[in-house]
Amino acid sequence: MVTIREEKIADIVAREVLLDAAYGPSRFAKASERLREGRVPADGLSLVAVDHGRIVGTVRLWHVAAGPGRAALLLGPLAVDPAHRNRGIGTALMRRAIARARLAGHRAIVLVGDAAYYSRFGFTAAPTGELWMPGRYDRDRLLALELRSDALVGARGLIAASGAFAPKPDVNMLIAANDGDRRPRRARVQRAA
Ligand SMILES: CC(C)(COP(=O)(O)OP(=O)(O)OC[C@H]1O[C@@H](n2cnc3c(N)ncnc32)[C@H](O)[C@@H]1OP(=O)(O)O)[C@@H](O)C(=O)NCCC(=O)NCCS
């Protein structure tokens, strides 16, 4: 049975493998990635689908400003393991993510994706006519869903990252770990004693 739950730290490697399989290296060149890199996702809005203990789907949402002073979320990437597609997993992830975003009081969600897929969840290009993304993207694929009525009425301008910065790795810890790997095992044992 497939369950949807919040992502844990232990899921990160499986999530990245899944995204590589779904999008390939071009995923890092996407305009949406410019809004995600170096940021942490919105609280409670990193979800995974799990089937028999394996991560088979992922979706995350990120804080953005949809034009100056207009808080919204960016959805993506959404991906389902190719071996598990057409089982409703993408739909379950989307519905859970939207419900949680609404419950948390978020006002709107934007994304860049296929309208043929995302329209079933209420996303359209209508509210994004005066919004634009950083970098190259297809205008018809910039879609939005208002969680509060008229949340994007009059929205105009650049969609910009607004989430908290991801913590940088501690350089001293990295050096120590690397150094430890190079030392002879006996030296490390002596140091520990
Ligand atoms: C898009 C994706 C997340 C769908 O996941 P899924 O678990 O297979 O989706 P579901 O089972 O909930 O829904 C399947 C339906 O979506 C349709 N669908 C899947 N991808 C689609 C697309 N890009 N455009 C239009 N319809 C699409 C399927 O044809 C199927 O239609 P049906 O319900 O009429 O039979 C998955 O195919 C995926 O990871 N694709 C690669 C990455 C990607 O393209 N991401 C987002 C699209 S921009």
Side-chain angles (χ1 to χ4, degrees), residues 2-8 11-23 27 41 45-50 54-62 75-82 84-85 89-94 97 117-118:
V2 177
T3 53
I4 309 292
R5 62 158 170 80
E6 273 188 49
E7 184 185 288
K8 302 174 189 168
D11 301 328
I12 290 175
V13 172
R15 181 242 289 156
E16 290 300 302
V17 168
L18 203 161
L19 290 173
D20 282 342
Y23 293 98
R27 68 187 173 102
L45 291 172
S46 292
L47 304 179
V48 290
V50 184
R54 281 199 57 222
I55 304 296
V56 295
T58 172
V59 68
R60 289 191 290 166
L61 288 90
W62 311 77
L75 186 146
L78 166 73
V80 172
D81 184 324
H84 294 265
R85 290 191 186 157
I89 296 173
T91 298
L93 281 165
M94 285 297 296
Y117 184 69
Y118 290 105

Side-chain angles (χ1 to χ4, degrees), residues 177-189:
N178 200 27
D179 191 37
D181 283 348
R182 283 201 306 264
R183 276 169 200 261
R185 183 162 292 279
R186 201 143 58 99
R188 272 190 274 149
V189 171

Side-chain angles (χ1 to χ4, degrees), residues 18-180:
L18 203 161
L19 290 173
D20 282 342
Y23 293 98
S26 70
R27 68 187 173 102
F28 296 109
K30 290 179 182 291
S32 296
E33 189 60 24
R34 305 287 77 79
L35 300 174
R36 299 190 283 251
E37 57 196 356
R39 308 278 175 159
V40 294
D43 269 357
L45 291 172
S46 292
L47 304 179
V48 290
V50 184
D51 188 16
H52 294 93
R54 281 199 57 222
I55 304 296
V56 295
T58 172
V59 68
R60 289 191 290 166
L61 288 90
W62 311 77
H63 291 287
V64 292
R70 196 181 297 256
L73 294 167
L74 172 81
L75 186 146
L78 166 73
V80 172
D81 184 324
H84 294 265
R85 290 191 186 157
N86 295 309
R87 294 177 57 198
I89 296 173
T91 298
L93 281 165
M94 285 297 296
R95 295 210 188 285
R96 185 72 65 87
I98 293 167
R100 293 190 86 153
R102 186 175 272 121
L103 203 63
H106 295 289
R107 300 178 60 79
I109 304 175
V110 297
L111 62 81
V112 179
D114 294 340
Y117 184 69
Y118 290 105
S119 60
R120 69 194 68 193
F121 311 110
F123 285 83
T124 75
T128 66
E130 299 290 324
L131 292 170
W132 57 92
M133 293 283 290
R136 295 172 66 171
Y137 65 100
D138 182 349
R139 274 225 66 90
D140 298 345
R141 290 166 54 82
L142 180 54
L143 312 174
L145 171 70
E146 293 175 318
L147 302 175
R148 300 284 174 91
S149 59
D150 296 340
L152 293 174
V153 168
R156 185 170 196 282
L158 181 69
I159 300 176
S162 62
F165 289 104
K168 293 207 166 56
D170 182 331
V171 175
N172 289 326
M173 292 289 284
L174 288 175
I175 291 169
N178 200 27
D179 191 37

